[in-house]
Amino acid sequence: NGIQPMAKDVNQVYLIRCLDEKKELVYTKVGTTTRDTRERMSEHLSKYAKEGVRFIEVKRLWDCGLMPPDGLESEFRAKYIKKYPHTFQQNDRFTRQEVDYEEADRIAESYLKR
């Protein structure tokens, strides 16, 4: 989808779709890492395999520059918990919940330019 993974030591926030073997949505997840993006996605595949996740689709990936990525992740968590309260699970997952990626872009852009 044209999203390029980022290297280690980059403050990253990602928005991903965790999919089952039929490529149906299990979770939408927001997260952070300072490791190589591919490495982090591999960890998610392993961690959520027992829940039926077989594929990860990276929908958005933001470089937070010098800002800790936890702030942007918290911004998404707060907005999505309010918008999708019954789908929220710990570790910033939203069960079978699609999100508006253009809205996500606006949230990230607004937060990162503060």
Side-chain angles (χ1 to χ4, degrees), residues 66-83:
L66 298 176
M67 193 179 316
D70 306 79
L72 179 54
E73 179 187 44
S74 294
E75 185 89 353
F76 277 114
R77 181 186 315 111
K79 288 184 183 304
Y80 288 167
I81 286 173
K82 190 172 183 180
K83 190 170 185 175

Side-chain angles (χ1 to χ4, degrees), residues 11-111:
N11 289 324
Q12 306 167 48
V13 172
Y14 52 83
L15 189 55
I16 61 175
R17 296 176 78 232
C18 301
L19 309 170
D20 66 15
E21 67 280 346
K22 296 177 184 175
K23 296 199 175 176
E24 293 178 358
L25 184 64
V26 177
Y27 301 117
T28 293
K29 177 169 176 43
V30 62
T32 69
T33 191
T34 57
R35 295 189 301 266
D36 181 279
T37 308
R38 287 172 288 243
E39 181 182 324
R40 186 67 181 124
M41 296 307 114
S42 180
E43 292 169 358
H44 284 314
L45 280 173
S46 296
K47 180 176 182 176
Y48 297 125
K50 64 183 177 278
E51 296 169 46
V53 173
R54 300 293 178 265
F55 302 96
I56 298 284
E57 181 180 16
V58 179
K59 295 299 288 185
R60 295 294 190 269
L61 184 60
W62 295 279
D63 181 340
C64 296
L66 298 176
M67 193 179 316
D70 306 79
L72 179 54
E73 179 187 44
S74 294
E75 185 89 353
F76 277 114
R77 181 186 315 111
K79 288 184 183 304
Y80 288 167
I81 286 173
K82 190 172 183 180
K83 190 170 185 175
Y84 312 114
H86 303 296
T87 67
F88 177 71
Q89 289 193 29
Q90 292 299 319
N91 301 319
D92 307 316
R93 293 174 292 152
F94 297 85
T95 304
R96 302 196 191 291
Q97 181 62 59
E98 293 287 359
V99 299
D100 180 335
Y101 297 103
E102 290 178 7
E103 176 186 53
D105 291 336
R106 290 189 299 273
I107 292 167
E109 181 181 342
S110 174
Y111 182 84

